[in-house]
Structures are given as structure tokens and as C-alpha cells.
Amino acid sequence: MNVRKFYGVLLLFITLSALADMPGNHRRQDIRVVFSNISALGNYTLHVKDFDTDSVITKDTLYTIYASQGLPHEIIIYASLGTVFTDSIFLSEVEQENLGIAFTGIADNKLLYTTTRTSLAGDNENAGKGKDGITKSVRQFWKRNEILIGISLVAVLILVVYFFWRKKKTSIGHIE
């Protein structure tokens, strides 16, 4: 009787987990950040910290924040002059907009800049992809075949349960 309860709970768990939608676990698109007017920072050096990498930016640059699934990919931007550091700018790929940052200078250890945002819709590289970064053909494939995939998973589960049930039934009354 305990085995039947176990398989019933297992079947319920597998069915519910197949229907679950995990929030925040959708593929995003790459974000392009354009750093311009770096010379307005004077003697300060501009840094971009991306995970464990600290890159020095010395001229106008196009920087890519690569897409992730789940935890957002974030970069930190700051400037330094010897041992003096400015405040930081935190950018991530959550907003799903390309950015342009034009620096205008530094005052009281704060970066002065203007920001422009542009839509990702104009990216040729991401054309044909939805908000989650999956191409239209892949989405159509899953839509057509999700019922068949679900039926096949349930059939395999039923066969596994039947196999163990038959094995248990034939071993009753035998000394092993």
C-alpha cells in the first residue's frame, strides 16, 4: 500500500512540475552599452567590473552585457584617480533596452553623465526572437508537440510503475 502512495505522489509531483512556470527563468537578450565622451573624465580612468574582470576603458566603446537565464547579469561602472574612486553605476540586462552613456565630467567624486535608451527591436541579430530570446520556429515546434511529449512522458512513467508492480507481485510468497 505504501508503494502505491509513493508512486501516486511521484506522479502528482512530476505532473505539477511539468506545468510549473519558474519566474525569472526566461532567456533575455544581450544589451549593448555605448560609452562615449570618455575624455570628459579628465585624468580619471573609467573601469567596468564584469564578474571578476575589471576592464579599463580609455576611449569610446561599445560594451555588451551578455544575456542570462534566471539571475540577471550586472556590471559596475566607476572611475578612479590613484586611490580615489567615484560613485558606481550599476547596469543589468533586466530592462531589456540598449543604453548610451555620454560622460560630461566628475564633480565631488560623482560621475556626471546622460543616458539614452533605445529599444532592442531594431537589433538585426535578435530579429525573429521574442522577449524570451527563443526563435519563432522553436516556439511553434513546442506548441505543436507539447501534448505528444506529455503523453509519452506519462506512458513511460506508467510502464516503470507497472514493471515494479509486476516484479513485486511475482516475488510474493517466494523465498529469495
Side-chain angles (χ1 to χ4, degrees):
M1 188 66 168
N2 290 336
V3 175
R4 289 183 186 168
K5 286 181 184 178
F6 172 74
Y7 287 124
V9 170
L10 182 66
L11 179 63
L12 180 67
F13 176 74
I14 290 173
T15 305
L16 291 177
S17 65
L19 299 175
D21 182 22
M22 299 185 69
N25 200 19
H26 298 286
R27 177 124 175 108
R28 298 176 189 92
Q29 295 179 348
D30 294 345
I31 302 298
R32 293 186 177 91
V33 181
V34 177
F35 298 113
S36 61
N37 203 16
I38 305 292
S39 59
L41 300 177
N43 293 332
Y44 280 82
T45 305
L46 186 68
H47 297 267
V48 175
K49 184 143 177 100
D50 191 351
F51 293 114
D52 293 334
T53 307
D54 191 0
S55 304
V56 175
I57 308 292
T58 57
K59 58 184 177 180
D60 294 355
T61 304
L62 171 67
Y63 194 87
T64 302
I65 302 174
Y66 293 104
S68 67
Q69 263 180 297
L71 185 65
H73 182 183
E74 188 172 69
I75 64 171
I76 303 169
I77 302 157
Y78 64 95
S80 68
L81 179 63
T83 58
V84 177
F85 297 95
T86 64
D87 63 338
S88 301
I89 303 169
F90 294 88
L91 300 176
S92 71
E93 35 116 13
V94 173
E95 289 86 17
Q96 289 294 282
E97 293 178 320
N98 289 328
L99 297 167
I101 298 177
F103 293 99
T104 57
I106 295 178
D108 297 326
N109 284 340
K110 294 186 192 272
L111 288 170
L112 303 176
Y113 58 93
T114 58
T115 305
T116 56
R117 297 178 183 272
T118 57
S119 172
L120 292 176
D123 290 351
N124 293 335
E125 186 177 308
N126 294 320
K129 293 184 180 180
K131 286 185 179 179
D132 55 0
I134 299 174
T135 61
K136 196 173 187 179
S137 62
V138 172
R139 227 180 287 124
Q140 288 174 348
F141 170 79
W142 279 107
K143 189 169 191 145
R144 281 192 308 255
N145 296 320
E146 66 186 0
I147 292 174
L148 294 175
I149 292 169
I151 290 171
S152 64
L153 287 175
V154 169
V156 167
L157 183 64
I158 289 172
L159 287 173
V160 168
V161 169
Y162 180 74
F163 171 75
F164 284 114
W165 180 70
R166 288 285 288 169
K167 187 172 183 167
K168 175 101 174 148
K169 188 176 180 181
T170 57
S171 65
I172 294 176
H174 295 105
I175 298 175
E176 295 182 19

